[in-house]
Every structure is written in structure tokens, then in C-alpha cells.
Amino acid sequence: MPGVPTTEIMDPDDERIADYRALTDVELRTRWEPPNGLFIAEGELVIGRALRAGYRLRSVLVDAKRVDQLADLPPDATVYAATPAVLESITGFHVHRGVLASFHRRALPSLDEVLDRARRLVVCEGINTHTNLGALFRSAAALGMDAVVLSPTCADPLYRRSVRVSMGEVFAVPYARAAAWPAALATVRTAGFRLLAMTPAPDAVPVQRLDSAARARPALLLGAEGPGLSTAAVQAADVRVAVPMRRGVDSLNVATAAAVAFWELCRDDPA
């Protein structure tokens, strides 16, 4: 990696790599990362997508054996290298992708800004599992949904696990957090969207049978694993929709169900 100086880290307690400490402690990281305006990306592919999306790099922490494999970093990048044992002591896990990076967060767009720019919307209520949220963002990007609105109780899309599961697609899909809930659902409807509540209820409309009015500007409401959408969210919806099930299966993982619905809502648009 010509031109980018590398600093060797031998002490896991070195303050220069404090950004990367205890990455497996979800409670600690979610309390610390957003207030300090940073997030962690893992793996060269994800790091590259964050850079291309315009996020500002703070530093890189890499397995010393892989330093020469790094590419496409800014010439002024701060790069720290350590042995696998030191990396594991710092982060709390085996860094099998060999490279981590710390990035500065950006200010989120407002709810109104996201609504103005979107035609097909994903609205998440209480989805607090990082892997589900990451998978949902990846599907939204791949299948044609324009933006995501998160309730105040949703997980952080920029938490390392969400970013990793999304393969960096959290950087490609605009999202906003709704400060008021469920009042934000009225704001979504006022912006011209039809609220479609995903539910396994037997009287819900099969998603493939939605009419053209429901498909024109859909806002697909998705709830957390287990409890699903709140009563207030379901009552705010224009239509309750379901993915038809077979063999007695009563529901799907939220990210899987969302992907099916995304494809159906976007299937008539060219890829």
C-alpha cells in the first residue's frame, strides 16, 4: 500500500485504537458510537462502499499480514496494524475479514426530505435485531425500494452487524428516524403514500392481489419478530397485506417476508 504509512499496535489498551474496543458488546457500542458520531465497517468490500458513499474515514485497523492487500484508501488514511491475537484482544472477536475501519457519521435527512424523494417506502416499527435490519436494507436496495423510515425503537442501521449483513447497502438506501410515533404514520399518508401493514392475519390481502392504487406509492409497514406491528400501526394502515403461506407455516422472518413483498411491489419496474 504505497504512500500510506502504517502504525503497528502492540498494546490492546493503546488509546489510538479506542474506536475498535469491545466491538461485541452491543449495549456499550450502541451507547457510545452514535453520540460520538462514528460507526465501524468490517471487510474491504463494505469499507469501499462506505468510502464511495462519501463517508469520511477516521482510521483503519488491519491484520498486519494483510496490510499489503489494502487498496483504494485515501492517501492520508490513518492505518493501524496488529497481529490477530492483538486484534482479538481489542475487538473481542476473531477478525476473520482482516480489516476494520472507523468512519464519521453524517447527519440524517429529515422525515420530510425522505418522503419527498421516495416513491416506494419501507416503514419499520420496533425492528431491534441488527441482522434483520441489515438484511432488510440489502433487500430494499436490491429490489427497488427507495427509502426507509425507522421508528424510535428500531436498531441502528450503522451498527457493525447491520452494516456487515447489509453488505454495505445501508449506505445506498436513504433513511430517516421518525421522532414521533405513531404520529409519523399520518405524516407518511399526508405525503401521498398508501400504508400497507404486513401481517399474518388470515383476512389480510395477499400481497400479489394489491390493486393499482395501493401499488402507486406504497409504504410497507413492518414490525418486529414475534410481536409484529403494534395495534396503533395496524389501525393507521390503509390495507393489511400478507405473504400467502403453505404447509401450515404461519409466518416468515421479517427480513424474508419483506424481500418477498419488495419484489412484488417493484416487479413491474425495469431493473
Side-chain angles (χ1 to χ4, degrees), residues 78-124:
T78 299
V79 179
Y80 300 113
T83 65
V86 173
L87 285 176
E88 188 165 351
S89 295
I90 295 166
T91 63
F93 71 103
H94 175 63
V95 186
H96 63 278
R97 286 177 175 81
V99 59
L100 299 159
S102 176
F103 283 91
H104 294 273
R105 290 178 182 247
R106 298 192 301 222
L108 290 180
S110 69
L111 176 60
D112 287 341
E113 289 172 324
V114 164
L115 297 180
D116 284 346
R117 299 170 188 169
R119 184 163 70 90
R120 288 181 291 241
L121 196 65
V122 186
V123 183
C124 300

Side-chain angles (χ1 to χ4, degrees), residues 188-201:
V188 172
R189 178 184 284 109
T190 300
F193 290 89
R194 292 290 297 275
L195 295 167
L196 313 179
M198 285 285 287
T199 171

Side-chain angles (χ1 to χ4, degrees), residues 1-2 4 44 47-48 51 66-74:
M1 191 172 51
V4 180
E44 285 190 68
I47 292 168
L51 289 168
R66 302 194 185 189
V67 167
D68 292 338
Q69 299 173 19
L70 292 180
D72 300 324
L73 292 179

